[in-house]
Amino acid sequence: MATNINRAAVIGSGVMGAGIAAHLANAGIPSLLLDIVPAALTPDEEAKGWTLEHPAVRNRLAANALSGLTRLKPSPLYDDAFLSRITPGNLEDDLGKIRDVDWVIEAVVENLHIKRELLAKIENHWKPGIIVSSNTSGISIDGMTAGRSEAFKRHVLGTHFFNPPRYMKLLEIIPGETTDPDIVARLTEFCGKRLGKGVVVAKDTPNFIANRIGTYGLLVTLQTMIDKGYTIDEVDAVTGPAMGRPKSATFRTLDLVGLDTFVHVANNVYEKLDGGPEKQAFQVPQVLKDMVSFGWIGEKAGQGFYKKVKGEQGSEILSLDLGAMAYGKSRKPASPSLEAAKTAKGAKEKTKALLGAKDRYSGLAWDILKKTLLYSADKVGEIADSIADIDKAMKWGFHWELGPFETWDAIGLVKSVERMEKEGERIPVWVKEWIASGKESFYQHANGKSFYVYKGEYKAADQPAENISLRSLKEQNKIIRANSGASLIDVGDGVACLEFHSPNNAIGADILFMIQQSVEEVRQNYDALIIANQGRNFCVGANIMLLLMEAQNEEWEEIDSIIRIFQNTMMQLKGFEKPVVAAPHHMTLGGGVEACLPADEVCAYAETYYGLVETGLGLIPAGGGCKELALRLSRANPNPEADLQPHINELFMNIGTAKVSTSAHDARKIGYLRASDRIVANQERLIHEAKQSALRLVHEGYVLPPKEKIRVVGADGKAVMQLGAYTMRQSGYISDHDLLIAGKLAHVLAGGDVPAGTMVTEQYMLDLEREAFLSLCGEPKTQQRMQHMLSKGKPLRN
């Protein structure tokens, strides 16, 4: 199915409109960004002698929005250079240009009358075939298109991007009553593949799927707290990670969203419901209205349910006592149920543990959860036909680890329904009928396939061929070899995938051994190897705990052996006569990067945060990271007269400051990824795309590249780097220990004390890496840094 979306127009340059345009730019789609013509000049414009007819004035709103994109943190752009793909304009002069685009996205204020008027103007310039969508969080699509032609309405639908568009995976697509199904299918494919979105199809009902259930859940939580006398701290302790939800839990989430925004979203449903218990559930509590009237609307106002203040001991967080409407010191509650949830592994076990302890907080969790589950079941068929789409919407839009129906299965469907009925709750008819038919869960997994209840029977979950699941392959007995840290899996077509699955995917002896075994297995029985996994992060580095223990015990020979094995294993990958493709995603740090550097090609997820961060641990990269990047610089500057120093200086700064890329595109910009490496927007397609890269290399007749020597800057270049580090120390930017580490790093990157221009071997550079690493392991301050990282999860500046 061809999507044929090559150019777009976004109307409305507010937070959402500008963010959507930025993400289209990320995907390589040029777009127009249009807004209204300003009614008055700014003082700066008046000082320049401009009039309201000046082009810069007329385009001011869109142009200002674009310039603001580069100042936002986190950035809505993969690379600031992508800003050039967006052209600012205005609705009076430029609306006619939409004739030349494939997709028009309306992202103006959430007002039915304004959106309806804008669609009328768009239709005046519309050509058949152009897709038109409204970015709305809850306004009826059919309500907006009232009065428009049938041909136009067939091309109109809702596209509810969640904010910020780059980072939030969920996209709800909402067809109107007469929207062409082919348009829905085309846009679903495009947004999944090119924009990397998780798309669910919602019905044209108030607040659609995620906001409908999410708002209900938040209101139920707030009302339960008020009715039963819980504190804000208690509720957030229960409704965060203990329940498989984000750390922001309930009230920190509301502060981040903004209480004014939340009240607007809740009122949108309330006003559209006819009456009864559901309408009552969406009635905003008076305390929330009072907070909005006081201006206590959350983080953007400096206070909401929480308030950050500066005290004698530094900043502290205060929480609101709703009874007294006063802030007090935030207190972290404790109980057997919370402790049980904390020690349990995974969202399923955490939720079961939380509900199983039968104390005050377990009761709170049950009261909130049961109502949310029942409401979700009650809305099946109304907000969406598929329970799978409802679960996905809550996971992708609200960062729940389990959707409501997955949660219900986790706590035991039959047992929990029995408890609900004993407590007088009304169970949706279809749920009772499902259980009465002998079913004990909403989902079923068999032979690597998933099924879910759909209109009274199990339906196979849609699983595009491009969405390769390593878990499903393992369930189908596709494991070739495995140990505690990694598995080699047959992904078909002569390609094997090496999957890390140690804690945090940290590289230890088990993973290194499996890499060696994988090379031998693929050499004999397969055509290519890919290195990929589907954990939270690709790899956060090497096993620090083991290294620290050996250093504290002064087992220097053991550390030397560990580093030699790591280096030799990476060289085995690099010297393998068959193609190797690495597919990193999210956090890829230290040894994770070094596991990718030997690959013939890297196929990275767009949201890959890539960096050699060893200096934060008081060390330097010693698994080939310094060597491989120095080799790439040497290769890129083959002329012996070419000046390598500026490039080495930049590499020295990147490694020395433990710089981590903000995206895969940024990793390419700073030189950690090559121009030939691929970047994939949709993480679920990542392994498929890596496999395709491997097969392409096979079909092209892969030949192992010859070994190369590395041209180094030598002693003179080392002195330049060390001078730069000394200057930073004198200016107070780095510590004495940082300066020591920088000296070791400079020695390695320069190729030691040889003359500038000397050609050295890879093994020579690896020996320098290992020697520097070993010497730093013996430093007490390095050991302090490693200990701090293990205990606190963040670097120590000492």
Side-chain angles (χ1 to χ4, degrees), residues 341-353:
K342 184 178 180 181
T343 56
K345 301 294 184 183
K348 290 182 181 180
E349 295 305 316
K350 284 181 181 295
T351 306
K352 287 165 65 176

Side-chain angles (χ1 to χ4, degrees), residues 196-431:
K197 293 296 162 195
V199 181
V200 298
V201 178
K203 296 198 174 186
D204 192 7
T205 56
N207 287 19
F208 313 129
I209 301 175
N211 277 348
R212 183 72 169 267
I213 292 174
T215 302
Y216 176 87
L218 288 166
L219 287 169
V220 161
T221 302
L222 181 58
Q223 196 61 55
T224 302
M225 181 187 77
I226 294 169
D227 292 345
K228 299 197 173 182
Y230 291 97
T231 68
I232 285 169
D233 293 322
E234 288 176 321
V235 171
D236 272 1
V238 170
T239 59
M243 200 185 278
R245 308 276 175 84
K247 289 182 180 179
S248 57
T250 297
F251 295 108
R252 290 187 193 280
T253 295
L254 285 170
D255 277 356
L256 288 168
V257 169
L259 274 64
D260 52 342
T261 301
F262 176 75
V263 168
H264 171 78
V265 172
N267 282 337
N268 186 55
V269 181
Y270 180 80
E271 291 165 2
K272 290 177 173 62
L273 296 175
D274 294 331
E278 185 180 10
K279 187 177 182 75
Q280 186 178 350
F282 278 92
Q283 186 167 23
V284 176
Q286 187 60 45
V287 66
L288 213 55
K289 296 177 183 177
D290 290 342
M291 290 176 69
V292 172
S293 69
F294 298 156
W296 299 357
I297 57 174
E299 192 169 271
K300 58 189 174 186
Q303 66 185 103
F305 288 104
Y306 292 95
K307 183 179 182 180
K308 192 174 186 178
V309 298
K310 289 185 178 179
E312 293 180 1
Q313 305 298 320
S315 295
E316 65 175 331
I317 302 295
L318 306 181
S319 57
L320 184 64
D321 179 338
L322 291 183
M325 291 302 279
Y327 291 94
K329 188 172 183 179
S330 187
R331 288 180 171 81
K332 193 173 184 180
S335 78
S337 63
L338 291 173
E339 189 58 35
K342 184 178 180 181
T343 56
K345 301 294 184 183
K348 290 182 181 180
E349 295 305 316
K350 284 181 181 295
T351 306
K352 287 165 65 176
L354 179 64
L355 295 176
K358 306 302 180 188
D359 59 22
R360 172 176 167 81
Y361 300 127
S362 177
L364 172 61
W366 171 252
D367 288 340
I368 294 168
L369 202 54
K370 71 174 179 180
K371 292 196 175 291
T372 305
L373 299 182
L374 288 169
Y375 186 74
S376 300
D378 208 38
K379 295 296 108 181
V380 173
E382 180 182 337
I383 62 175
D385 287 328
S386 162
I387 69 162
D389 273 356
I390 292 174
D391 278 349
K392 289 173 184 175
M394 299 317 298
K395 290 191 291 185
W396 295 338
F398 278 73
H399 296 299
W400 293 6
E401 290 188 48
L402 299 173
F405 298 97
E406 292 171 325
T407 300
W408 218 333
D409 279 357
I411 65 175
L413 173 60
V414 176
K415 185 177 178 181
S416 61
V417 166
E418 288 174 355
R419 181 178 175 184
M420 291 173 186
E421 288 186 306
K422 286 179 183 178
E423 295 173 359
E425 300 292 347
R426 183 188 67 81
I427 312 299
V429 173
W430 75 266
V431 175

Side-chain angles (χ1 to χ4, degrees), residues 41-71:
L41 296 171
T42 65
D44 184 55
E45 289 167 346
E46 288 181 347
K48 292 177 179 177
W50 291 354
T51 70
L52 289 173
E53 298 305 311
H54 193 287
V57 175
R58 296 176 72 78
N59 295 341
R60 184 213 307 152
L61 295 181
N64 285 353
L66 292 186
S67 63
L69 289 174
T70 59
R71 296 191 295 271

Side-chain angles (χ1 to χ4, degrees), residues 8 42 87 107 109 240 245-246 315 322 428 474 480 485 553 578 703 729:
T42 65
T87 303
V109 64
R245 308 276 175 84
S315 295
L322 291 183
K474 288 192 283 188
I480 305 164
N553 293 330
K578 294 187 177 182
V703 176
R729 176 67 191 102

